[in-house]
Amino acid sequence: QKEVEQDPGPLSVPEGAIVSLNCTYSNSAFQYFMWYRQYSRKGPELLMYTYSSGNKEDGRFTAQVDKSSKYISLFIRDSQPSDSATYLCAMSQITGNQFYFGTGTSLTVIP
Amino acid sequence: GAVVSQHPSWVICKSGTSVKIECRSLDFQATTMFWYRQFPKQSLMLMATSNEGSKATYEQGVEKDKFLINHASLTLSTLTVTSAHPEDSSFYICGFPRSDSYEQYFGPGTRLTVT
């Protein structure tokens, strides 16, 4: 079993839709949960970060972590064509430690 | 966030030759750095952990004699792909973790094509 599972998609939605991206994981020791956005042939850039369980909101983006279910989500409201990218979830056990990535979900927002 | 540069951004080489990829942090120092490989439509897979002043630690299945890592300073690490083969063609990304927080800063990646 992989440490982190993520549906690779692809996911295609109309502009303005709400997008839900999800990851599950198996290691209960994970404490830090991140969402990265990666454009084609570019390095990942950090979108959201959550420590332990809970919700975090930043503009159109909301990250949720449910440690009891080992399930994390990223919601994008009022999606824009510029949101079209691959979204990677990542998690780690402690600060400065290696990240475990999901496979990434490819998202296309159609104008 | 911190700025990490990688050079070259794209390289094409012939089978059997060696290629060196540089990863440099421009505005902070790190004793540890990670090298990842990413195949098309797949996630980043950790290849090795590079520690300044000591030997790198390689993940299972990654040949240490083929992928030479030199963590020359707190701001520079290099990955050399020796005797490259077409199956080494991939996107290589470095990551600088901060020891005092969750953050990891990634380079823009190097696309290697071996013909």
Side-chain angles (χ1 to χ4, degrees), chain B residues 59-89:
Chain B
E59 295 299 301
Q60 190 174 9
V62 179
E63 299 174 56
K64 62 178 182 179
D65 295 329
K66 180 173 183 61
F67 298 99
L68 302 179
I69 292 173
N70 181 14
H71 197 141
S73 73
L74 295 177
T75 60
L76 173 65
S77 179
T78 61
L79 168 68
T80 301
V81 183
T82 63
S83 187
H85 290 136
E87 56 264 32
D88 298 325
S89 299

Side-chain angles (χ1 to χ4, degrees), chain B:
Chain B
V3 179
V4 179
S5 69
Q6 259 184 263
H7 178 80
S9 57
W10 189 21
V11 58
I12 301 174
C13 71
K14 291 187 176 179
S15 187
T17 61
S18 296
V19 173
K20 179 186 282 188
I21 301 170
E22 280 191 1
C23 180
R24 196 179 296 269
S25 166
L26 302 182
D27 56 359
F28 82 100
Q29 299 179 333
T31 56
T32 299
M33 209 179 66
F34 301 118
W35 282 97
Y36 298 88
R37 180 167 53 185
Q38 186 178 33
F39 292 106
K41 299 188 185 298
Q42 295 187 27
S43 189
L44 282 74
M45 296 300 296
L46 181 66
M47 297 176 64
T49 302
S50 161
N51 298 297
E52 192 265 342
S54 62
K55 290 184 179 180
T57 305
Y58 291 82
E59 295 299 301
Q60 190 174 9
V62 179
E63 299 174 56
K64 62 178 182 179
D65 295 329
K66 180 173 183 61
F67 298 99
L68 302 179
I69 292 173
N70 181 14
H71 197 141
S73 73
L74 295 177
T75 60
L76 173 65
S77 179
T78 61
L79 168 68
T80 301
V81 183
T82 63
S83 187
H85 290 136
E87 56 264 32
D88 298 325
S89 299
S90 187
F91 194 54
Y92 292 87
I93 300 176
C94 61
F96 276 91
R98 291 186 70 108
S99 60
D100 58 349
S101 82
Y102 64 92
E103 293 186 81
Q104 183 171 157
Y105 302 108
F106 293 93
T110 296
R111 180 160 300 281
L112 170 64
T113 301
V114 184
T115 60

Side-chain angles (χ1 to χ4, degrees), chain A residues 33-35 46-50 56-58 61-63 74:
Chain A
F33 304 90
M34 283 69 65
W35 284 95
L46 182 66
L47 266 183
M48 298 284 288
Y49 144 75
T50 309
K56 190 170 187 178
E57 188 173 320
D58 183 2
F61 299 89
T62 300
L74 177 71

